[in-house]
Amino acid sequence: MNVHPGDIPTASVSELPADGLVLLDVREQDEWDAGHAPGAVHIPLGELPARTDELAQLPDDQPLYVVCRTGGRSARAAAWLNASGWDAINVAGGMKSWEAEGRPVVGEHDGPPQVL
């Protein structure tokens, strides 16, 4: 699918809602384990088409914000999701911006979480 980046709805981390945020993290398992947003849903980009049933369980009355490390994979995921009928918005700057904005990050292992 050839999508122009300007055609993908995008929001900066500072524009994200404080409450009721539905966040989909499309990074790989090792990136997720190292550090992710609390409450995010994790489906790696390559598994997205096979796992849309999990997305169907998310609230459908608000946008689905899609995040990766810096915004490239999440832009592709958002484009695919929008083409498939979802209301998806790419998070500009990804988890690197999330972390830089001081948003919380949790990990799946001992030690401080980090964004890979």
Side-chain angles (χ1 to χ4, degrees):
M1 169 167 41
N2 192 2
V3 176
H4 188 270
D7 296 338
I8 301 165
T10 302
S12 67
V13 171
S14 61
E15 295 171 319
L16 299 181
D19 296 317
L21 175 67
V22 181
L23 190 66
L24 172 65
D25 191 322
V26 296
R27 297 176 300 152
E28 295 303 315
Q29 189 69 48
D30 62 322
E31 295 172 287
W32 169 264
D33 290 346
H36 58 269
V41 174
H42 179 230
I43 303 178
L45 179 61
E47 298 176 21
L48 205 49
R51 293 175 63 182
T52 53
D53 56 326
E54 293 173 51
L55 297 178
Q57 298 171 23
L58 300 174
D60 59 4
D61 59 345
Q62 53 200 3
L64 177 61
Y65 290 90
V66 188
V67 69
C68 65
R69 185 168 61 93
T70 58
R73 286 173 285 179
S74 54
R76 292 201 305 274
W80 182 84
L81 287 163
N82 285 329
S84 301
W86 299 92
D87 180 13
I89 299 174
N90 184 36
V91 177
M95 284 301 297
K96 288 292 189 182
S97 289
W98 178 276
E99 184 179 45
E101 293 261 349
R103 296 278 187 127
V105 177
V106 295
E108 298 295 322
H109 52 69
D110 293 334
Q114 62 182 18
V115 175
L116 296 183

